[in-house]
Amino acid sequence: MHALTIGEALARAQKWLREAGSTSPRLDAEVLLAHALGRDRVYLFRESQHRLDAKEARVYRDLVERRARGEPVAYLTGHKEFMGLDFIVGPHVLIPRPETELMVEYALAMLAGCPPGRRVAVDVGTGSGAVAVSLARLAPGAEVYATDISPEALEIARANAGRHGAPVRFYRGDLLSPLQGVLPPGSVAVVAANLPYIPSAEMAGLPRDVRYYEPALALDGGPGGLELYRRLVPGAGELLAPGGHLLVEIAPDQKERALELVPPPRWRSTALPDLAGRPRLIVAQKKGDGKPVL
């Protein structure tokens, strides 16, 4: 049998992945072949007649087989782009999603409006560090703190901070508890949290690449899906400066229940839509109490 060209290999992989149920078979095939060859995707089009040698074909076939079984592309390549930055990912952390960029963009806007010395942000449940590292890289003069309960996640987050030169300060523990004694009450401009929000009863219905491969610790939000956020709000209210913002990502059908967690008069709250027009980000501003606001 003759060695396959890049074009032929892509066509076969695309067909295989489509039949296996991939929602993006062509993109998956291209990303995996570029990874197998140590090239970018542009190379695949420029050199579509290049014939794969035996080792290249074997590596590619293994990757496509694993993807066909449901393993996420990001775990197969070990990388995922977020906010224009390349992040290391692995089975101990949730794969960064494009919709979470809305949280980062809003946080950046809030930090830009803070006076120098007051640009303090906290990323709760940092996972891969995508939010924290993006803030540290893209918000000039910001102090960024990040927490996570998983030591394996923090190891990946620290690696991502190191490779991007992002001076994030990481702490291990539950929600905001590791920052007690580190940050004084009323000193933080932004608390951002993309915590688990899938109701426990819905975990079994998640797509197989999420259900079987991504960490349940980063997905299961308890019986109602918002249990961690319910616990987070009081601590965030203490840590935020008057006028500071709490940002939390939710599922679209959780809008009303999530807004109930941050009610007036202490909070001024709203829900922002994602690119598909679905409620995705709860923005809760802590009202002033007579002190200067941010």
Side-chain angles (χ1 to χ4, degrees):
M1 182 176 178
H2 76 283
L4 296 178
T5 66
I6 283 177
E8 291 168 338
L10 284 173
R12 290 192 179 190
Q14 181 181 357
K15 181 176 183 294
W16 189 355
L17 293 174
R18 183 187 299 110
E19 292 172 350
S22 170
T23 58
S24 53
R26 181 67 186 190
L27 178 60
D28 291 355
E30 291 175 3
V31 171
L32 293 176
L33 184 52
H35 177 68
L37 299 178
R39 303 278 191 166
D40 58 26
R41 287 168 61 204
V42 173
Y43 174 85
L44 305 181
F45 301 103
R46 190 177 66 243
E47 303 293 338
S48 62
Q49 296 306 306
H50 167 79
R51 295 192 180 278
L52 304 183
D53 63 30
K55 180 180 179 181
E56 291 170 339
R58 185 170 60 253
V59 170
Y60 186 45
R61 181 180 180 85
D62 176 65
L63 289 170
V64 173
E65 282 183 347
R66 291 166 64 186
R67 177 62 189 136
R69 291 196 296 269
E71 192 166 349
V73 170
Y75 289 163
L76 292 170
T77 64
H79 294 268
K80 181 67 175 180
E81 183 180 331
F82 182 83
M83 292 298 296
L85 301 172
D86 179 66
F87 286 90
I88 299 168
V89 295
H92 293 296
V93 298
L94 197 69
I95 298 168
R97 265 62 169 183
E99 52 264 33
T100 306
E101 293 186 353
L102 175 65
M103 174 186 289
V104 176
E105 290 164 356
Y106 199 94
L108 290 173
M110 295 303 97
L111 291 170
C114 296
R118 302 290 295 277
R119 295 172 185 159
V120 181
V122 176
D123 175 27
V124 186
T126 194
S128 67
V131 170
V133 170
S134 297
L135 291 177
R137 278 291 305 271
L138 302 174
E143 292 180 36
V144 181
Y145 298 78
T147 71
D148 204 288
I149 200 167
S150 164
E152 294 86 2
L154 285 173
E155 183 177 349
I156 293 174
R158 289 190 178 99
N160 280 319
R163 69 200 302 263
H164 289 298
V168 180
R169 303 173 193 184
F170 293 100
Y171 296 84
R172 181 187 173 193
D174 181 56
L175 302 178
L176 291 168
S177 62
L179 299 180
Q180 292 178 1
V182 176
L183 291 171
S187 65
V188 174
V190 174
V191 173
N194 181 16
L195 298 173
Y197 54 75
I198 306 298
S200 299
E202 296 180 14
M203 289 288 290
L206 292 174
R208 63 173 179 168
D209 52 347
V210 177
R211 183 169 74 252
Y212 293 127
Y213 292 95
E214 297 199 61
L217 183 65
L219 294 165
D220 192 336
L226 297 175
E227 304 311 310
L228 289 172
Y229 287 137
R230 195 180 311 279
R231 293 175 47 219
L232 172 69
V233 169
E238 292 300 313
L239 205 55
L240 284 169
H245 288 78
L246 170 63
L247 311 177
V248 302
E249 183 174 311
I250 60 166
D253 63 355
Q254 295 172 332
K255 172 185 171 181
E256 299 304 327
R257 288 186 293 121
L259 287 172
E260 290 173 359
L261 300 179
V262 279
R266 190 176 201 193
W267 300 96
R268 182 184 294 111
S269 306
T270 190
L272 298 183
D274 58 22
L275 291 176
R278 301 167 300 185
R280 182 63 65 181
L281 181 67
I282 298 297
V283 177
Q285 183 180 32
K286 178 182 173 182
K287 290 199 176 177
D289 52 10
K291 301 177 183 177
V293 298
L294 294 171

